[in-house]
Amino acid sequence: MSLLDKDSNKVLIQGLGRDGSFQAERCIEFGTKIVSGVHPTKAGKKFKQNIPIFGSVNEAVNETSPDIGLIFVPAPFAADAIIEQIDANISVIVCVTEGIPIADMVKVNEYLKGKKTRLIGPNCPGYLIPEKKLKVGIIPGSIVKPGNVGVVSRSGTLTYEAIVQLTKLGIGQSACVGIGGDPINGTSFVDVIDMFEEDENTEAIVMIGEIGGIKEQEAAERIKNSVSKPVVASIVGQTAPEGRRMGHAGAVITGKSALASEKINSLKDAGVVIADSPTEIGQKVKELLKIK
Amino acid sequence: MSLLDKDSNKVLIQGLGRDGSFQAERCIEFGTKIVSGVHPTKAGKKFKQNIPIFGSVNEAVNETSPDIGLIFVPAPFAADAIIEQIDANISVIVCVTEGIPIADMVKVNEYLKGKKTRLIGPNCPGYLIPEKKLKVGIIPGSIVKPGNVGVVSRSGTLTYEAIVQLTKLGIGQSACVGIGGDPINGTSFVDVIDMFEEDENTEAIVMIGEIGGIKEQEAAERIKNSVSKPVVASIVGQTAPEGRRMGHAGAVITGKSALASEKINSLKDAGVVIADSPTEIGQKVKELLKIK
Amino acid sequence: MQLHEYQAKNILNKHNVPIPFGKVASSYLECEEIVKSVNGRSVIKAQVHAGGRGKAGGIKVVEGSEDAKKVAKEMLGSTLKTFQSGDTEFPINKVYVEEASDISRELYLALTMDFDEKCPVIIFSTEGGMNIEEVAEKTPDKIIKIHVNPLIGPSPYKIRNLLSQLNLGKKVSQQIFSIIQNLYEIFNSLDCTLIEINPLAVTENDKVLALDAKITIDDDSIFRHSDIKDLFDKTQMNQAELKALSSDLAYIKLDRGKVGCMVNGAGLAMATMDITIKAGTAPANFLDVGGSASEERIEEAYKIITSDRDVEIILVNLFGGILRCDVAAKGIINGFKNTNNSIPMVVVLRGTNSDDARLLLEKSDLDISFAEDLPSAAVEIRNKLGIS
Amino acid sequence: MQLHEYQAKNILNKHNVPIPFGKVASSYLECEEIVKSVNGRSVIKAQVHAGGRGKAGGIKVVEGSEDAKKVAKEMLGSTLKTFQSGDTEFPINKVYVEEASDISRELYLALTMDFDEKCPVIIFSTEGGMNIEEVAEKTPDKIIKIHVNPLIGPSPYKIRNLLSQLNLGKKVSQQIFSIIQNLYEIFNSLDCTLIEINPLAVTENDKVLALDAKITIDDDSIFRHSDIKDLFDKTQMNQAELKALSSDLAYIKLDRGKVGCMVNGAGLAMATMDITIKAGTAPANFLDVGGSASEERIEEAYKIITSDRDVEIILVNLFGGILRCDVAAKGIINGFKNTNNSIPMVVVLRGTNSDDARLLLEKSDLDISFAEDLPSAAVEIRNKLGIS
């Protein structure tokens, strides 16, 4: 996971309100090197006695050289925070914030083009590399285990669901990446699948998709053409009511390609093992790895 | 001049009004391969009996594969025409139009970042490569002569002035490039000087600058650091009244660096031969080439 | 957030998008007055948040003010159910009264977000007045799209090129050119997710008019549009869904089964619903408490779910991430205390602070079965409901 | 195109940038009324297109309406010349009357285009009320710049970071934050090349106000701002320059010498002026006919140059590119015919259709010497003027 696993893995956290502070502590507990915080009104103070808080990302970057930025800034200010981190040349940005206006993310996405920064999210649980004790986001550290299965998911909570199953079966994870449920986000299934394909520590891939959009089909296409590792996938939303908003706009059935059945067919066609329910993911991976 | 001299040198002309049509004929007379025209109301017709006119750049590109685009579109629509050509992946765009709103060009310039297209102008006479019989713009074809001196200038008419002198003295030109007088333009002195430095057919460089801005100093810096070929330069506007608009906003004295004297000092410091008046450029080049 | 036609047309009018003369009315007397001032054929349209009003009887042509009075009397105070609205009956509290236009041609124009291309998209079709999804399916070549760079806006050349394909004539094309630019201005400045003009009508004398207008605003952007917030018509929404919305919860009533679902995250919601079906029943509703719910919000969520009379059992499936399970447990306990109902619960709690949460719930008086994961939750539901 | 302070403040007010109470007046009676309504100390400011009004007596503080009447009587109808305006006397046709504010601090805020960085720039300084160029020269660290991505607009984080460096207090910082965003909105929507608020005042009770406002609009953008075009005050411009402008010609009167210069292109203009000095005289004016002048425009140009009484000889130096020399020659001949003056000309014609042009001019009755190039033109001028 060279794109997400930086040499130093130094993390900056922007937004140290209730959630940001709580989650920052969990990251530190897991072993993550949080080197600085950014908060408009807490500049000059310390987080957990020893982590300096700055008023701007630029100052934090100058003083503490983070590679990775983690954003908990409230939705109205989150797009600006992403741009602030892009402008400060942060390599990987994870934006956990949910509820960012679509128009803001469309503009951020356009602004990102041609830049070197990778954005994960928004509205995502971020990522975790168990072996490296690197947790950037909110995936519970207690459920993971170092190993060789890469997990990628649009849904935050289903990411955990899959991880729990794997860990219970004694199957560890090379990395777990939640790309987020928003319709406009920075990193797609294809991006993460490419990383897993290149990653030496990854032997198999778990992908959890949803109804809506065509991102799962794009992933199927990529898997078919250039992925050598075995993939287990599950698509949720088979029983979801058509045309209604399921908590986030990405999960609306907008056309035939958005249907679960269409997605499952594409994935099957790409040689992917399908878990009919996300509760069967662990078992499917176990079978797959035994067969191998 | 590999960046301006494309393999096929096929030219598209956008805007075939009075000026555009007249200048297109001059380009053809010089030997330029004009393969298509674009004009909103003349689509389907022919220019000069055999050059097809299209309603959009995309169609013209699909049908005639031009490398170079030449724009005579009126100022209110010119920025949009530039974007249309950028979106159609034209390699080199010359925009002759003057009077484009500054805000439009600022946006075009930002849009250009990261794209492969090179924009020359706006408000410029374009360029001419005598040897290749390639004339993209309005530099009079009658005054040039194939040879080994590269000419670059901010001022249209002074470009011609310099060329006439050179030709009269029997000194031919490798290429003549008018980068345009607007404060926001696509190609700078530095860009063209780099091309001349790399160009095998160029032995010496003539550069005609003006008061205002810092572009001549940037050129001086580049010449000092990485140009091996001899350079003759002239800076006009020594007698221009301070702070008044001299026909285009770029020629306003905005600070010390904008002064002619400052520019001349930087260029002298970079080893450039200064022609006190643009009327002496030819003579200076002649002396320089004899000495060599 | 959806706007009524009359609200959308007011916005269109302010941004110089031509509409027929029309006014909104809340009483049949107002309606009568408007038709009198129009002095001719008029159209009376029910102002409800549902598509397909025409087929359902929500759009009526009247010849004069007497006729108008009669139609308005029938419409106002009644409800409307359309093929697009499912089981919901929308109350008609307002009608829009509009001068009838002489139409020679009906076009279709919409602006929305293309999530695959990640940018705004302008959708145009010469097949206006029909169901556009049907057009898209049967004659996809009749649908033209322009993708818009969100930082540049709609390039004039793209609009020109679109129009030049259509042979609509210079006069009509020029009007549509301006209309597209003005609609984009609205789309951008009001954070719309959809502006749909269907039909965009061409009159006998070549005037282009927006005959209908649907505008949807991105809910997540409402914080910066205080004036738009006030336009929201609460009467058009299911009351439980409205209550959920006011607590920032995503609640959807489903008329299918007996299980009330409390979950966090859309993905988990969908997996949870799938499980209720495996358990031999189906969801009665589902409520997504979202990423970082407080104790108060969870309590509200509990109250909303239990107020649904279809619910015989509640399945709570929470995975603590940014959500803390202990906070959720406290909210549920408070909800139970303050409503004092006795609906049994099956609870799956995992992730952040789930052990603390379980202890809290065990100490409470709630009728709870804990499950380790979703498949065992399905078994518990079967047992509790007596499904064999 | 420059706006008057009262026009600029009207725009500021519309975009929620706070200004002191004030009104424009064209007569001393109006002025008196306004001061009465203010009921206290007021400031009367001459509305002229020149900086440095204060030092030149164009800004006066008055204590009451009697005082105001007296001051307005003196100002209105007179002219003002400032150290920034050169020799030009600006007529005072209007005054702006403003309530005096209790100022505790003067700041500086401007938005302009940074041509080197090719983007808008916000310039802020705590040293307001002074000549900002002097501040820039003497204490450059007191000037803070924010560059703005023209496609994104001013990022809030950049403004916040700017303000956090200055320790202006939360209340003042918040006001300036909004003011910067609102000013950028004006800058962007009106195609400004400059908005300068100097001073941006902080009052005794921490209110932030734009005490003065200078707005300049990009002349090339006026085609899309028809409302702004109407704001242009023609009385503030040299009449010959105005005439030139209305024909799209760039004319500048220079009080230096005897040579009227007609050229095309700014570069050639500057080189031509340099040559008049080599000829032992200096330019009386110069007129740039631009890239693609028509016969009519050239005729107008000829008339404007010859109407300058300082002109004893005309130097025409045209290099045909997009401009066609034959067209120019026809324009000059028409100008000569229709004014019938006999000012001698030295003419350098090169480039597109220059041979045709020469033939046309030779056949005319104009007193013309042709020169091959600028150095020989200088010799001709010396001869004609009898300079040895």
Side-chain angles (χ1 to χ4, degrees):
Chain A
M1 299 301 284
S2 62
L3 285 169
L4 302 181
D5 179 12
K6 299 293 151 190
D7 285 344
S8 75
N9 283 335
K10 289 196 275 192
V11 178
L12 167 158
I13 296 201
Q14 188 167 11
L16 283 167
R18 192 195 60 176
D19 291 338
S21 301
F22 179 82
Q23 296 297 337
E25 286 187 36
R26 301 291 84 73
C27 291
I28 293 167
E29 276 170 22
F30 190 75
T32 308
K33 278 173 283 181
I34 294 184
V35 295
S36 49
V38 172
H39 198 84
T41 58
K42 295 180 185 169
K45 297 183 182 164
K46 301 267 182 189
F47 179 69
K48 300 276 288 174
Q49 277 96 53
N50 61 351
I51 298 168
I53 303 175
F54 300 91
S56 73
V57 172
N58 245 336
E59 283 173 85
V61 166
N62 289 341
E63 299 292 326
T64 64
S65 314
D67 317 287
I68 302 166
L70 178 54
I71 295 175
F72 287 100
V73 169
F77 317 108
D80 186 52
I82 297 174
I83 289 177
E84 185 175 7
Q85 293 205 3
I86 295 170
D87 288 349
N89 296 313
I90 300 277
S91 311
V92 178
I93 300 172
V94 168
C95 182
V96 175
T97 311
E98 74 175 283
I100 302 179
I102 295 168
D104 288 8
M105 282 315 301
V106 162
K107 284 175 190 144
V108 164
N109 188 68
E110 190 65 36
Y111 187 66
L112 258 178
K113 283 182 185 170
K115 304 259 182 343
K116 281 174 195 159
T117 300
R118 167 157 299 284
L119 171 67
I120 299 178
N123 188 15
C124 81
Y127 70 98
L128 201 150
I129 302 180
E131 169 89 24
K132 291 292 180 86
K133 296 195 183 305
L134 176 66
K135 164 174 155 150
V136 188
I138 60 172
I139 297 176
S142 57
I143 60 174
V144 302
K145 172 186 156 77
N148 305 104
V149 174
V151 178
V152 58
S153 167
R154 257 164 91 173
S155 154
T157 41
L158 282 183
T159 316
Y160 317 158
E161 176 71 47
I163 297 169
V164 163
Q165 292 171 32
L166 292 172
T167 300
K168 271 196 185 163
L169 293 167
I171 304 165
Q173 303 91 40
S174 55
C176 308
V177 186
I179 58 174
D182 274 8
I184 310 289
N185 58 15
T187 293
S188 67
F189 280 127
V190 167
D191 297 326
V192 180
I193 285 169
D194 283 349
M195 292 181 211
F196 284 139
E197 174 67 12
E198 276 182 30
D199 179 35
E200 289 182 0
N201 297 324
T202 300
E203 281 176 23
I205 301 168
V206 167
M207 168 185 152
I208 305 158
E210 287 177 10
I211 52 170
I214 55 162
K215 295 294 187 295
E216 288 79 3
Q217 280 90 329
E218 286 172 10
E221 186 72 16
R222 180 62 59 102
I223 291 166
K224 193 173 181 177
N225 294 330
S226 48
V227 172
S228 62
K229 299 176 182 178
V231 182
V232 172
S234 185
I235 303 293
V236 293
Q238 284 150 282
T239 59
E242 205 171 308
R244 303 203 71 176
R245 198 183 146 102
M246 302 292 294
H248 46 67
V252 171
I253 299 180
T254 49
K256 271 205 171 164
S257 64
L259 291 172
S261 55
E262 291 281 323
K263 292 174 187 297
I264 288 171
N265 287 340
S266 304
L267 288 163
K268 277 188 180 160
D269 182 49
V272 171
V273 174
I274 302 295
D276 288 333
S277 159
T279 58
E280 296 162 14
I281 290 170
Q283 203 52 45
K284 290 283 179 191
V285 174
K286 195 179 169 189
E287 289 165 17
L288 195 75
L289 291 179
K290 271 190 189 150
I291 290 161
K292 244 190 78 173
Chain B
M1 301 300 285
S2 62
L3 285 169
L4 301 181
D5 180 11
K6 299 291 150 190
D7 285 344
S8 75
N9 283 333
K10 291 196 276 191
V11 178
L12 166 159
I13 296 201
Q14 187 167 12
L16 283 167
R18 193 194 61 178
D19 291 338
S21 301
F22 179 82
Q23 296 296 338
E25 286 188 36
R26 301 291 85 73
C27 291
I28 294 167
E29 276 171 21
F30 190 75
T32 309
K33 280 172 282 178
I34 294 185
V35 294
S36 51
V38 172
H39 198 84
T41 59
K42 296 179 184 169
K45 297 182 181 166
K46 300 265 182 190
F47 180 70
K48 301 276 288 174
Q49 276 95 54
N50 61 351
I51 298 168
I53 302 176
F54 300 90
S56 74
V57 172
N58 244 337
E59 281 174 88
V61 166
N62 288 340
E63 299 292 327
T64 64
S65 315
D67 317 286
I68 302 167
L70 176 54
I71 294 175
F72 287 100
V73 169
F77 317 107
D80 186 52
I82 297 174
I83 289 176
E84 186 174 6
Q85 293 206 4
I86 296 170
D87 288 349
N89 296 314
I90 300 278
S91 311
V92 179
I93 302 171
V94 169
C95 182
V96 175
T97 311
E98 74 175 282
I100 302 179
I102 295 168
D104 288 9
M105 281 315 301
V106 162
K107 283 173 190 146
V108 165
N109 186 70
E110 190 65 37
Y111 188 67
L112 257 177
K113 284 183 186 170
K115 303 257 182 345
K116 280 174 194 161
T117 299
R118 165 156 301 283
L119 171 67
I120 299 178
N123 188 14
C124 80
Y127 70 97
L128 201 151
I129 302 179
E131 170 87 26
K132 292 292 179 85
K133 297 198 182 304
L134 176 66
K135 164 174 154 150
V136 188
I138 61 172
I139 297 175
S142 57
I143 60 175
V144 301
K145 173 185 156 80
N148 306 102
V149 174
V151 179
V152 58
S153 167
R154 256 164 90 174
S155 155
T157 41
L158 281 183
T159 317
Y160 316 158
E161 177 70 48
I163 297 168
V164 163
Q165 292 172 32
L166 292 171
T167 300
K168 270 197 185 160
L169 293 168
I171 304 166
Q173 302 91 39
S174 55
C176 308
V177 186
I179 58 174
D182 274 8
I184 309 288
N185 57 16
T187 293
S188 68
F189 280 126
V190 167
D191 296 325
V192 180
I193 285 169
D194 283 348
M195 293 181 213
F196 283 140
E197 174 67 12
E198 277 181 31
D199 179 35
E200 288 182 1
N201 297 324
T202 301
E203 281 176 23
I205 301 168
V206 167
M207 166 184 154
I208 305 157
E210 287 178 8
I211 52 170
I214 54 163
K215 294 293 187 296
E216 288 79 4
Q217 281 90 329
E218 286 172 9
E221 186 73 17
R222 180 61 60 105
I223 292 166
K224 193 173 180 177
N225 294 329
S226 49
V227 173
S228 62
K229 297 174 184 180
V231 182
V232 173
S234 186
I235 303 293
V236 293
Q238 285 150 282
T239 60
E242 205 171 309
R244 303 204 70 173
R245 197 184 147 102
M246 303 293 295
H248 47 68
V252 170
I253 298 181
T254 49
K256 271 204 170 165
S257 65
L259 290 171
S261 54
E262 290 281 323
K263 292 174 187 296
I264 289 170
N265 287 340
S266 303
L267 289 163
K268 277 188 179 159
D269 181 50
V272 171
V273 175
I274 302 294
D276 288 333
S277 158
T279 59
E280 295 163 16
I281 289 170
Q283 203 52 47
K284 289 284 179 190
V285 175
K286 194 178 169 187
E287 288 165 18
L288 195 74
L289 291 179
K290 271 190 189 150
I291 291 161
K292 246 192 77 169
Chain C
M1 177 186 143
Q2 205 179 322
L3 301 186
H4 280 301
E5 177 192 6
Y6 80 91
Q7 296 166 329
K9 281 194 168 158
N10 187 25
I11 293 172
L12 258 51
N13 190 39
K14 273 190 205 154
H15 285 81
N16 299 317
V17 177
I19 52 171
F21 172 80
K23 278 185 178 173
V24 69
S26 307
S27 73
Y28 65 86
L29 289 173
E30 277 179 83
C31 186
E32 189 186 2
E33 283 308 307
I34 299 166
V35 174
K36 265 184 195 161
S37 75
V38 166
N39 194 21
R41 264 180 13 124
S42 303
V43 188
I44 298 183
K45 300 195 256 186
Q47 298 300 290
V48 291
H49 284 179
R53 289 176 301 173
K55 283 183 190 163
I59 299 179
K60 297 249 162 92
V61 177
V62 296
E63 294 299 331
S65 56
E66 271 310 306
D67 196 8
K69 198 167 150 184
K70 201 179 127 248
V71 167
K73 256 189 185 169
E74 281 169 22
M75 272 194 191
L76 285 163
S78 72
T79 60
L80 195 72
K81 193 167 143 177
T82 77
F83 71 99
Q84 286 183 31
S85 68
D87 292 326
T88 318
E89 297 265 4
F90 291 93
I92 306 176
N93 300 317
K94 287 193 168 79
V95 292
Y96 189 67
V97 189
E98 193 172 68
E99 186 174 25
S101 309
D102 293 323
I103 306 305
S104 73
R105 198 163 180 189
E106 295 191 322
L107 310 170
Y108 175 93
L109 177 58
L111 281 77
T112 186
M113 281 291 178
D114 186 327
F115 294 144
D116 298 321
E117 298 291 331
K118 299 185 181 181
C119 65
V121 61
I122 298 165
I123 303 169
F124 192 89
S125 175
T126 52
E127 308 303 295
M130 342 228 310
N131 182 339
I132 198 67
E133 280 168 58
E134 240 175 81
V135 177
E137 204 169 310
K138 291 181 188 162
T139 50
D141 56 303
K142 297 259 182 191
I143 302 229
I144 310 178
K145 291 181 190 172
I146 305 178
H147 287 104
V148 178
N149 180 309
L151 302 182
I152 294 278
S155 291
Y157 87 83
K158 290 187 183 174
I159 309 177
R160 219 172 42 235
N161 293 352
L162 172 136
L163 291 170
S164 72
Q165 295 171 46
L166 300 172
N167 294 315
L168 296 166
K170 197 175 169 183
K171 197 177 161 193
V172 168
S173 293
Q174 277 174 347
Q175 291 173 76
I176 298 177
F177 188 92
S178 302
I179 289 172
I180 291 177
Q181 289 190 313
N182 294 337
L183 287 180
Y184 187 81
E185 175 69 31
I186 298 170
F187 187 83
N188 189 44
S189 61
L190 293 187
D191 281 300
C192 300
T193 50
L194 177 71
I195 300 180
E196 189 179 52
I197 311 297
N198 190 19
L200 179 70
V202 184
T203 65
E204 302 286 353
N205 50 359
D206 276 359
K207 273 208 65 174
V208 183
L209 292 170
L211 275 206
D212 194 4
K214 195 182 278 181
I215 293 184
T216 309
I217 314 277
D218 179 5
D219 291 325
D220 289 334
S221 78
I222 297 292
F223 68 87
R224 57 189 172 206
H225 302 293
S226 48
D227 44 335
I228 292 291
K229 201 172 184 173
D230 300 336
L231 297 181
F232 181 52
D233 181 0
K234 293 177 179 173
T235 68
Q236 299 295 309
M237 210 168 173
N238 173 300
Q239 290 310 297
E241 291 186 12
L242 185 64
K243 214 169 171 187
L245 197 70
S246 71
S247 302
D248 229 355
L249 300 163
Y251 173 77
I252 291 182
K253 170 66 189 141
L254 301 162
D255 298 296
R256 296 197 191 163
K258 300 170 179 173
V259 188
C261 303
M262 184 195 290
V263 294
N264 63 326
L268 205 59
M270 291 187 274
T272 305
M273 289 194 292
D274 293 357
I275 276 293
T276 64
I277 286 163
K278 292 239 161 113
T281 171
N285 61 42
F286 92 84
L287 194 150
D288 182 353
V289 302
S292 69
S294 64
E295 212 171 302
E296 290 71 31
R297 267 166 67 194
I298 301 281
E299 180 178 343
E300 191 58 37
Y302 181 84
K303 287 178 182 169
I304 291 165
I305 291 174
T306 52
S307 69
D308 178 355
R309 284 157 186 268
D310 293 338
V311 171
E312 293 180 17
I313 189 164
I314 301 171
L315 171 55
V316 175
N317 184 14
L318 300 176
F319 218 124
I322 201 155
L323 173 79
R324 292 157 63 174
C325 289
D326 54 336
V327 169
K330 283 178 197 159
I332 290 170
I333 294 166
N334 291 344
F336 171 69
K337 276 187 194 154
N338 296 331
T339 57
N340 209 18
N341 68 54
S342 56
I343 299 172
M345 299 179 91
V346 175
V347 173
V348 187
L349 289 175
R350 286 167 300 177
T352 313
N353 295 9
S354 56
D355 294 343
D356 299 349
R358 186 163 177 156
L359 282 174
L360 284 167
L361 289 170
E362 278 170 353
K363 276 191 282 182
S364 77
D365 297 327
L366 279 151
D367 172 5
I368 290 188
S369 309
F370 292 96
E372 281 301 304
D373 50 29
L374 279 178
S376 39
V379 175
E380 285 294 330
I381 290 170
R382 274 179 188 272
N383 291 345
K384 292 224 171 194
L385 291 180
I387 301 167
S388 59
Chain D
M1 175 187 143
Q2 204 179 322
L3 300 185
H4 281 300
E5 177 193 5
Y6 80 90
Q7 297 166 327
K9 283 193 168 160
N10 188 24
I11 293 171
L12 258 52
N13 190 40
K14 272 188 206 156
H15 285 81
N16 300 317
V17 177
I19 51 171
F21 173 80
K23 280 185 177 172
V24 67
S26 307
S27 73
Y28 64 87
L29 289 173
E30 279 179 83
C31 186
E32 191 186 359
E33 283 309 308
I34 298 166
V35 175
K36 265 185 196 159
S37 74
V38 167
N39 194 20
R41 271 189 356 136
S42 302
V43 187
I44 299 183
K45 300 195 255 186
Q47 297 300 290
V48 291
H49 284 181
R53 289 176 302 173
K55 283 184 189 161
I59 300 178
K60 296 250 162 92
V61 176
V62 296
E63 295 299 332
S65 58
E66 271 309 305
D67 197 7
K69 196 168 150 183
K70 203 179 126 245
V71 167
K73 256 188 182 167
E74 281 169 20
M75 272 194 192
L76 286 162
S78 72
T79 60
L80 195 73
K81 193 168 144 176
T82 75
F83 72 100
Q84 287 183 30
S85 69
D87 291 327
T88 319
E89 298 264 4
F90 291 92
I92 306 175
N93 300 317
K94 287 193 169 76
V95 292
Y96 189 67
V97 190
E98 193 171 68
E99 186 176 22
S101 309
D102 292 324
I103 305 305
S104 73
R105 200 163 177 188
E106 296 192 322
L107 310 169
Y108 175 94
L109 176 60
L111 281 77
T112 186
M113 281 290 179
D114 186 327
F115 292 145
D116 299 321
E117 299 290 330
K118 299 185 180 182
C119 66
V121 62
I122 298 164
I123 303 169
F124 191 89
S125 174
T126 51
E127 309 302 297
M130 341 229 312
N131 181 339
I132 198 67
E133 281 169 59
E134 242 176 77
V135 177
E137 203 169 312
K138 289 181 188 161
T139 48
D141 56 306
K142 298 261 180 188
I143 302 225
I144 309 179
K145 292 180 190 174
I146 305 180
H147 287 104
V148 178
N149 181 310
L151 302 182
I152 293 280
S155 291
Y157 87 83
K158 290 186 183 175
I159 309 176
R160 220 173 41 235
N161 293 352
L162 172 136
L163 291 170
S164 72
Q165 295 169 46
L166 299 172
N167 294 317
L168 295 166
K170 197 174 170 185
K171 197 176 161 192
V172 168
S173 293
Q174 278 175 345
Q175 291 174 74
I176 297 177
F177 188 94
S178 301
I179 289 172
I180 291 177
Q181 289 191 313
N182 294 337
L183 287 179
Y184 187 82
E185 175 68 30
I186 298 170
F187 186 83
N188 188 46
S189 62
L190 293 186
D191 281 300
C192 300
T193 51
L194 177 71
I195 301 179
E196 189 179 53
I197 311 297
N198 190 18
L200 178 70
V202 183
T203 66
E204 300 287 352
N205 50 358
D206 277 356
K207 274 209 63 176
V208 183
L209 292 171
L211 275 204
D212 195 3
K214 196 182 277 182
I215 293 184
T216 309
I217 313 277
D218 179 7
D219 291 325
D220 289 335
S221 79
I222 297 292
F223 69 87
R224 57 187 171 207
H225 303 292
S226 49
D227 44 334
I228 291 291
K229 200 172 184 173
D230 299 338
L231 297 181
F232 182 53
D233 181 359
K234 293 178 178 173
T235 68
Q236 299 295 310
M237 209 171 173
N238 173 301
Q239 289 311 296
E241 291 185 11
L242 185 64
K243 215 169 169 184
L245 197 69
S246 71
S247 302
D248 232 353
L249 301 162
Y251 173 77
I252 290 182
K253 171 66 188 146
L254 301 162
D255 299 296
R256 295 197 191 164
K258 301 169 178 175
V259 187
C261 302
M262 184 194 291
V263 294
N264 63 325
L268 205 59
M270 289 187 275
T272 305
M273 290 194 292
D274 293 356
I275 275 294
T276 65
I277 286 162
K278 290 238 162 112
T281 171
N285 60 42
F286 91 85
L287 194 151
D288 181 354
V289 302
S292 70
S294 65
E295 213 171 301
E296 291 71 31
R297 265 166 68 194
I298 301 280
E299 181 178 342
E300 192 56 40
Y302 180 85
K303 287 179 182 170
I304 290 166
I305 291 173
T306 53
S307 69
D308 178 355
R309 284 158 185 270
D310 293 338
V311 171
E312 292 180 18
I313 189 164
I314 300 171
L315 172 54
V316 175
N317 184 15
L318 301 176
F319 218 124
I322 202 155
L323 174 79
R324 293 158 60 173
C325 289
D326 56 335
V327 170
K330 284 178 196 161
I332 290 170
I333 293 166
N334 291 345
F336 170 70
K337 277 184 191 157
N338 295 332
T339 56
N340 209 17
N341 69 54
S342 56
I343 299 171
M345 297 178 92
V346 175
V347 173
V348 187
L349 290 174
R350 286 167 300 177
T352 313
N353 296 10
S354 56
D355 294 343
D356 299 350
R358 185 162 177 157
L359 284 174
L360 285 167
L361 288 170
E362 279 171 350
K363 277 191 282 182
S364 78
D365 298 326
L366 279 153
D367 172 5
I368 289 188
S369 311
F370 291 95
E372 282 301 304
D373 50 28
L374 278 178
S376 40
V379 175
E380 285 295 330
I381 291 170
R382 274 181 186 272
N383 292 343
K384 292 224 171 192
L385 290 180
I387 300 166
S388 58

